[in-house]
Amino acid sequence: MRARVSAERPPAATRARTAAPVERSMQVQSLVRSLAILNRLAAADEGVTLTEIARLVGLSPSTAHRLLTTLEQERYVHFDAERRLWSVGVQAFVAGNAFLKTRNVAGLARPHMRALMEESEETVNLAVEDQHEAVYLAQVECRQMMRAFARPGGRVPLHCSGVGKALLSAMSDAEIGRVLHQRGMARMTVKTINTTAGLRADLAAARARGYAIDDEEHAIGLRCIAAVIFNESAEAVAAVSVSGPMARISDARIPLLGQQVKRKAEAITALFGGRMP
């Protein structure tokens, strides 16, 4: 008798162990579906009807409504009863704003910097603008015998460095004017662009191709190619670059390196939660 009961109905402990993974799986499924709903609402310019949400995420209206109600209780979504439309709630903004406060551009960029170094076989730098100068935050050195070196914390002028010109290219004409008025255009080498008209033309070319070029303008024998990393307001927050000697970075190689740097800058921008202008 006991054997038959055991075969037909597992002991309570066994039933509990079996039920736990099933329950966890259902919870994960609900979470994935809820996130899909949030993503769809975030992509909508205006509110979305229940029917449309259900269609977009591939759920029945009843399931979508249950998940929306739960999200509404936690203020992640908002329901406009008059228009019968659902939209992103205030708590979603609060959670997103926490990311803005804690994100670290150097930490987010480093994996892409390492990948760029492997791709280009040149040294990769990350810099930000501070007090109208470019300040290096991080560097990933290449394995070549001859390589560029930029100490983290080191500063270079904006008008004659690759990262600096990339950052300048994202500024307005008025901002560029203020930088040049305050810092001047010191001639670092015979190739330094030291006229306002010449620099503005060079920055316009940088914007058109998506990357800036330092052609021995900061140091003789050294070339640098840089692109901008943007934030969620399409404002420049940093610049990433590859740098190396003229012997390796030839005229013919610049377009290839420029595209590599540009792609990595775009990838870091996306990871940072930014957008291209």
Side-chain angles (χ1 to χ4, degrees):
M1 179 67 72
R2 288 180 183 172
R4 284 198 302 274
V5 171
S6 176
E8 294 171 3
R9 184 176 177 81
T14 301
R15 294 198 304 273
R17 285 196 299 270
T18 303
V22 174
E23 184 178 349
R24 282 195 296 271
S25 177
M26 292 176 64
Q27 290 171 345
V28 170
Q29 185 182 62
S30 293
L31 176 60
V32 170
R33 288 173 169 177
S34 297
L35 290 173
I37 288 173
L38 275 176
N39 288 334
R40 289 295 184 178
L41 291 177
D45 292 332
E46 298 182 357
V48 184
T49 65
L50 172 62
T51 303
E52 183 66 4
I53 294 172
R55 185 188 67 79
L56 289 171
V57 297
L59 297 173
S60 68
S62 60
T63 300
H65 186 265
R66 175 174 56 82
L67 295 172
L68 283 164
T69 302
T70 302
L71 289 168
E72 183 186 25
Q73 290 171 356
E74 298 297 324
R75 300 191 302 161
Y76 278 93
V77 303
H78 170 73
F79 180 60
D80 184 335
E82 184 176 338
R83 297 189 300 156
R84 311 298 295 175
L85 297 176
W86 294 89
S87 58
V88 173
V90 67
Q91 191 60 35
F93 170 78
V94 173
N97 197 46
F99 167 71
L100 296 180
K101 291 186 292 185
T102 59
R103 62 185 170 175
N104 178 335
V105 66
L108 292 172
R110 190 164 288 279
H112 288 286
M113 292 174 66
R114 282 196 293 267
L116 180 56
M117 186 277 288
E118 297 290 353
E119 216 174 287
S120 66
E121 299 184 326
E122 300 294 348
T123 294
V124 179
N125 302 291
L126 181 74
V128 296
E129 185 271 333
D130 178 62
Q131 298 181 346
H132 298 333
E133 291 181 307
V135 181
Y136 289 109
L137 295 185
Q139 182 180 76
V140 177
E141 290 187 61
C142 68
R143 300 185 182 89
Q144 306 282 359
M145 289 292 291
M146 292 177 58
R147 54 182 181 267
F149 177 76
R151 177 178 56 83
R155 291 173 175 264
V156 290
L158 294 178
H159 73 284
C160 62
S161 60
V163 289
K165 290 204 291 182
L167 291 165
L168 277 176
S169 73
M171 295 182 186
S172 67
D173 286 344
E175 287 177 302
I176 293 171
R178 284 193 292 271
V179 171
L180 300 182
H181 176 74
Q182 190 173 92
R183 287 290 178 179
M185 300 179 67
R187 201 175 189 98
M188 307 297 288
T189 75
V190 295
K191 298 188 74 173
T192 301
I193 300 172
N194 67 340
T195 66
T196 301
L199 182 62
R200 288 187 183 277
D202 190 69
L203 296 178
R207 291 188 197 100
R209 62 179 171 249
Y211 57 89
I213 302 170
D214 162 14
D215 184 12
E216 296 187 286
E217 296 160 53
H218 183 252
I220 289 295
L222 185 69
R223 276 179 163 170
C224 182
I225 302 162
V228 186
I229 298 165
F230 295 93
N231 65 12
E232 66 282 355
S233 301
E235 300 165 334
V237 292
V240 61
S241 72
V242 295
S243 55
M246 289 269 302
R248 288 200 305 269
I249 302 183
S250 63
D251 290 349
R253 196 176 173 220
I254 285 176
L256 173 62
L257 290 174
Q259 291 305 313
Q260 290 175 341
V261 173
K262 182 182 175 183
R263 284 195 298 269
K264 287 297 184 288
E266 290 171 350
I268 298 167
T269 291
L271 196 60
F272 194 70
R275 63 182 177 87
M276 306 302 291

